[in-house]
Amino acid sequence: MKQCWLDIRSAGDSAAALCQEALHHGFDAIVAADPADLAPLPPTVTRVLLPSGADLPADFGVADLVVVDPAVHGTPQRLAERHPERRFGAYVEVTDSESLELACASVRRDEYTVLRFRDPTNIPLEIVLAAAADASGLIITAMDRVADAPVHLGVLEHGPGGLMLAPAAPGRRPASGTS
């Protein structure tokens, strides 16, 4: 079964309502940049902290999973050594051959990898999924358009393990590029 994650990092005043709607619809995870935004969420949903900027917060709060940019924060393995009570994953924005290589390495090694692709084709996603063929980690792809979900989920006949969506407001599809 594919997972569905809600990204509230840029939701502003709509974050609480989006979280309630996501919980009602059975989303698997809610992603926030600030640990305080995860505090009111029940343990029935995976609370994912995806911090912005170069500094990690001193306290991860109730986050079940901390997703970091390995190029900025270090690898999830190194962070797990320093914080053995936490699970860590990687966030990679695939924009060029170097970041594609980083994404391929992450899906082979990390328990969780969240990917955002800037290439409008599915070729980079196909390459990453092929690299992860024998890996056991979960791959989540960030999506700008709900209409792209069936395509992403069907890449190489199985697609990633889930999708991360960032709706503009409750009851709406993601803001950028909606159809």
Side-chain angles (χ1 to χ4, degrees):
M1 185 144 197
K2 302 294 183 177
Q3 290 199 11
C4 191
W5 292 19
L6 174 70
D7 181 357
I8 62 166
R9 291 177 297 154
S10 60
D13 293 338
S14 298
L18 286 168
C19 288
Q20 288 304 311
E21 188 172 34
L23 293 169
H24 174 75
H25 287 291
F27 274 55
D28 299 287
I30 296 178
V31 180
D34 183 346
D37 292 334
L38 299 172
L41 299 175
T44 55
V45 65
T46 301
R47 298 163 293 195
V48 180
L49 180 64
L50 202 165
S52 59
D55 296 325
L56 291 176
D59 181 5
F60 298 128
V62 299
D64 301 304
L65 172 64
V66 180
V67 176
V68 297
D69 181 342
V72 175
H73 305 110
T75 66
Q77 291 78 17
R78 303 262 336 238
L79 289 165
E81 289 170 7
R82 288 187 285 182
H83 305 278
E85 74 287 356
R86 294 283 175 211
R87 293 184 302 162
F88 288 89
Y91 174 83
V92 181
E93 187 166 336
V94 179
T95 58
D96 56 21
S97 61
E98 183 179 322
S99 57
L100 180 60
E101 285 181 34
L102 185 61
C104 289
S106 178
V107 298
R108 288 185 199 109
R109 144 194 96 224
D110 297 328
E111 183 180 1
Y112 295 90
T113 304
V114 178
L115 302 168
R116 175 171 290 284
F117 294 93
R118 293 297 175 193
D119 190 316
T121 72
N122 286 317
I123 294 169
L125 177 57
E126 290 172 355
I127 292 168
V128 172
L129 292 176
D134 294 325
S136 61
L138 178 65
I139 301 169
I140 301 292
T141 56
M143 313 239 0
D144 289 328
R145 298 174 356 118
V146 171
D148 294 335
V151 174
H152 270 245
L153 293 172
V155 170
L156 294 184
E157 297 181 16
H158 58 81
L163 305 174
M164 181 169 77
L165 305 170
R172 292 201 181 151
R173 294 177 183 217
S176 90
T178 59
S179 53

